[in-house]
Amino acid sequence: MIAWLVAFHLIAAFLWFSGLFYLPRLFKYHVVTLRQGDEQGARRFEVMERQLYRVVMNPAMYATLGLGVLLAIVQYHYVLSAPWFWVKLVLVILLIGCHHMCKAFMRKLRTTQGKPRLFYKIFSMIPPTIMGAIVVLTIVQPF
């Protein structure tokens, strides 16, 4: 049973990360269309961003978190005493923050020109960095 939970947890996490990786890139291109005065292009990006966030990212985040909690409950004797688990939990909380920041960026891009492209480019590197740390913590369990 644990193997099935892990498998579905990973599938959900992959979907969530795909959105966290791609949405900031869409923001970068969205800013370019806004600065060029392309209203039709900007509306197209708004639809793409909204669909990615609502249809892929939100359900995947909730599934990842729910399955992660279920895994922690099933293996509570093991994970709750492991220091790497608590570091992973902090990193997951940071990812949830990134997720909600994406929602705020979407709202801001609907009403203003948004932040500079470089900002979104730098922001887009945060989720992959956190994901790498989570994978290392979970697989290697360095402490």
Side-chain angles (χ1 to χ4, degrees):
M1 177 173 152
I2 290 176
W4 283 103
L5 289 175
V6 169
F8 287 118
H9 176 68
L10 288 174
I11 291 167
F14 292 155
L15 288 170
W16 185 26
F17 277 112
S18 69
L20 284 171
F21 293 176
Y22 189 56
L23 192 57
R25 298 268 180 211
L26 288 177
F27 295 155
K28 188 176 82 165
Y29 302 131
H30 190 161
V31 166
V32 171
T33 61
L34 286 171
R35 299 233 164 89
Q36 292 173 344
D38 181 3
E39 285 297 318
Q40 185 178 6
R43 299 300 152 246
R44 192 175 301 122
F45 276 109
E46 287 175 15
V47 169
M48 291 168 59
E49 292 160 3
R50 188 172 50 249
Q51 291 297 323
L52 179 61
Y53 191 83
R54 288 182 184 168
V55 176
V56 176
M57 291 174 64
N58 270 344
M61 179 186 71
Y62 291 125
T64 301
L65 296 176
L67 291 164
V69 167
L70 194 56
L71 279 166
I73 290 169
V74 169
Q75 298 179 320
Y76 74 93
H77 59 282
Y78 169 66
V79 294
L80 296 182
S81 64
W84 64 265
F85 173 78
W86 296 103
V87 176
K88 176 183 174 179
L89 188 61
V90 169
L91 293 173
V92 169
I93 290 168
L94 290 173
L95 282 176
I96 294 168
C98 288
H99 182 93
H100 292 295
M101 286 175 69
C102 285
K103 177 73 170 189
F105 295 152
M106 284 173 31
R107 286 185 180 142
K108 187 151 185 116
L109 282 168
R110 272 187 269 158
T111 59
T112 67
Q113 294 289 315
K115 298 184 181 300
R117 280 184 345 176
L118 182 60
F119 173 84
Y120 297 115
K121 188 173 185 175
I122 293 169
F123 178 77
S124 73
M125 297 311 296
I126 295 171
T129 304
I130 293 174
M131 184 197 73
I134 287 174
V135 168
V136 168
L137 283 169
T138 305
I139 303 297
V140 178
Q141 300 175 4
F143 46 86

